[in-house]
Amino acid sequence: MSAPVSSDDPLSPPLVSPGRFCGSRVVVTGAAQGIGMAVAARIAMEGGHVIGVDRSTLVEDVCAQISSLAHDGGRADPLTADLETWEGAEAVADRSGTVDVLVNNVGGTIWARPYSEYSPEQIEAEIRRSLFPTLWMCRAFLPAMVAAGAGTIVNVSSVATRGVNRVPYAASKGGVNAITAALALESAPHGVRVVATAPGGTLAPERKIARGGAPESKAERRWYQEIVDQTVDSSLLKRYGTLHEQAAPICFLASSEASYIDGSVLPVGGGDQG
């Protein structure tokens, strides 16, 4: 089976809950494309004020499009930052002001290969990409939430904590799961919820900003194909999910409808528990 391709439009959710985020300020990272764009669009269409964060200036056009489609007073404002650094996360927190919800969506496999084929530099790059943005953003936004006695953090993990050819990425997402569990325990007495989803394979339009180089050698193409095959085989539904099938549970966990859910990681992988 080859890698799936989708025409799923992140700006056109099939279902919204009108007014669910009215009056809420929500930071969504990785908002320039993919799952982050779909989450930002849905929250704005449900009345929320979204601060869409990405290191690409593409987020500016995306937020303008989202604002033009928003309902119930919703809108999206862009911020650019490198969230792999503490300085980037701190700057976003300073510029965002008081927020009700933080959605940590930045991350993603850069290379697909057996662990013995990763260079030390590639291992460090994978960890910086998929662990540190969540670690830094939680640290940057938590103090204000604790001071306010309220807030919700939704982390985006992955069922690939049990997956082939991406051990450093799996380690990063295992760290995101640990952040979610440990920080929820610390934060609950202060009125702050910390939860996560763990997406499985997800259909998406071709990325405008590549995470890494496309597989070029015969071995690289085979290793990537092994990821695709294992992802489908591990899913009870035997398919990839859509952007909106990932955005919907994230938005649910971010909303007041999930007020009695804390410290949990919800697998969203068609039955793959990760």
Side-chain angles (χ1 to χ4, degrees):
M1 178 178 176
S2 60
V5 177
S6 173
S7 60
D8 191 26
D9 182 357
L11 299 180
S12 300
L15 178 68
V16 297
S17 298
R20 181 163 58 165
F21 286 97
C22 277
S24 295
R25 287 173 58 86
V26 182
V27 169
V28 179
T29 70
Q33 57 190 337
I35 293 173
M37 183 193 296
V39 170
R42 182 160 179 166
I43 289 174
M45 291 178 188
E46 296 182 0
H49 176 187
V50 174
I51 298 97
V53 184
D54 205 283
R55 64 181 174 187
S56 168
T57 56
L58 285 173
V59 74
E60 296 171 2
D61 290 339
V62 167
C63 286
Q65 291 179 66
I66 290 173
S67 292
S68 71
L69 298 169
H71 307 302
D72 298 317
R75 74 177 202 263
D77 295 325
L79 284 178
T80 56
D82 181 359
L83 301 183
E84 293 181 15
T85 70
W86 163 246
E87 292 77 14
E90 186 179 39
V92 170
D94 289 344
R95 295 170 63 189
S96 297
T98 302
V99 303
D100 302 289
V101 181
L102 167 64
V103 178
N104 286 314
N105 171 67
V106 169
T109 305
I110 305 173
W111 294 281
R113 57 194 58 202
Y115 190 45
S116 60
E117 300 291 334
Y118 277 89
S119 70
E121 293 77 16
Q122 288 172 334
I123 292 169
E124 290 186 1
E126 293 276 10
I127 299 297
R128 285 196 304 272
R129 173 67 56 84
S130 293
L131 176 62
F132 273 96
T134 295
L135 200 62
W136 291 141
M137 288 292 280
C138 286
R139 175 61 183 83
F141 279 84
L142 186 65
M145 289 183 173
V146 168
T152 299
I153 297 173
V154 183
N155 297 324
V156 179
S157 178
S158 174
V159 298
T161 48
R162 183 178 178 272
V164 299
N165 295 347
R166 42 189 170 168
V167 166
Y169 174 72
S172 298
K173 291 305 189 178
V176 170
N177 292 347
I179 293 168
T180 301
L183 191 58
L185 190 64
E186 284 189 15
S187 302
H190 304 286
V192 179
R193 291 191 305 119
V194 186
V195 290
T197 68
T202 304
L203 297 164
E206 184 176 353
R207 294 182 63 84
K208 296 178 180 178
I209 312 157
R211 291 192 182 116
E216 293 181 355
S217 71
K218 184 176 179 180
E220 288 172 331
R221 290 192 294 272
R222 184 179 73 251
W223 293 333
Y224 180 74
Q225 188 61 49
E226 288 172 357
I227 285 182
V228 173
D229 293 343
Q230 184 254 310
T231 298
V232 174
D233 289 345
S234 297
S235 168
L236 299 183
L237 299 181
K238 302 304 178 189
R239 66 173 177 86
Y240 272 42
T242 70
L243 289 176
H244 297 301
E245 286 176 320
Q246 298 299 343
I250 292 170
C251 292
F252 164 67
L253 288 176
S255 76
S256 59
E257 295 176 275
S259 58
Y260 197 54
I261 301 174
D262 200 7
S264 299
V265 179
L266 174 64
V268 190
D272 184 357
Q273 301 299 302

